Amino acid sequence: CAGYSIKRLENGNCLNLDYTDAMINEIVPFIDSKYRTIADREYRAMAGLSMGGGPARIIAHRHPEVFANLGQFSCGGGFVVKGDSLYGPADYSELFATPEHYNSLMKLTFITCGTEDPRDAYTSVQVKELADQGYNVEYHTYPGDHEWNAWRPAARDFMMKLFR
C-alpha cells in the first residue's frame, strides 16, 4: 500500500480513502481552534509536494470556500482542468468556467517543477495555456529534478508570495 490515505483490508488489498472531508470538517477546524490563525479562506493555503500535489489540488479546488491559495510542487498529475491525469479523471470545469470566475476565487495558484523533472514537459504546457487565457495561475521552474534542490527554493518563493 502506498500513497494517499489508505486502509489495508483483511484480504491484504488496499483501499484508497478520500480524506477531503476529514481535512475540511476536522483538520482545518482543529487548527483554527488550537492556533492563532485567521479563519478565512483568503488566509488559507493548501500545498502538496510530488504525490501530495494531487490531493492538495483536489482539496483546494473542490473547496475554494475554504482555501484561496494553492501550491503544487512537482505533481505527477500535472494541471489538467478536464480529462485524464495520473490520478484518474479530473473535472474542474465549473471552477475554470471563466478566468474571471476562477480569479475571483483563487488568490494564488503557484505550480512548480524542476527543470530536469519529466513532469515539467506537460505541466508547463497545461499551465501556460491557462495563463494565456487570463487565469491567475503561475508556473515556475527551478534547477534540478524531482528533488529538494528544486523544492526548497520553490517553497521559499511560495511562502514569500503568501506572506507578503
Side-chain angles (χ1 to χ4, degrees), residues 12-160:
N13 291 336
C14 295
L15 176 66
N16 283 323
L17 303 175
D18 181 353
Y19 54 85
T20 302
D21 288 339
M23 179 63 72
I24 300 302
N25 299 318
E26 298 173 33
I27 298 169
V28 169
F30 175 81
I31 291 168
D32 286 343
S33 73
K34 298 292 180 188
Y35 300 96
R36 291 178 33 188
T37 63
I38 300 173
D40 183 287
R41 62 179 295 285
E42 296 281 325
Y43 298 95
R44 281 201 191 100
M46 176 60 67
L49 166 65
S50 189
M51 191 175 221
R57 181 180 183 201
I58 289 167
I59 291 168
H61 280 174
R62 281 188 191 166
H63 295 280
E65 76 283 2
V66 179
F67 297 99
N69 303 282
L70 170 64
Q72 184 176 301
F73 305 90
S74 300
C75 178
F79 206 76
V80 175
V81 171
K82 185 173 183 178
D84 290 327
S85 80
L86 183 66
Y87 299 108
D91 188 355
Y92 299 106
S93 51
E94 186 177 319
L95 179 63
F96 283 86
T98 65
E100 296 78 18
H101 178 68
Y102 183 85
N103 298 346
S104 73
L105 294 171
M106 297 303 295
K107 185 175 166 185
L108 174 63
T109 304
F110 190 89
I111 303 117
T112 74
C113 274
T115 54
E116 304 304 315
D117 190 329
R119 294 152 189 83
D120 175 49
Y122 54 89
T123 307
S124 61
V125 172
Q126 294 162 339
V127 175
K128 183 179 182 328
E129 287 175 5
L130 292 168
D132 288 349
Q133 295 172 39
Y135 290 92
N136 184 24
V137 295
E138 299 179 15
Y139 188 75
H140 302 273
T141 57
Y142 296 86
D145 199 332
H146 198 71
E147 60 181 324
W148 285 107
N149 289 334
W151 299 330
R152 279 187 205 99
R156 177 202 59 221
D157 292 350
F158 178 58
M159 299 290 184
M160 295 287 285

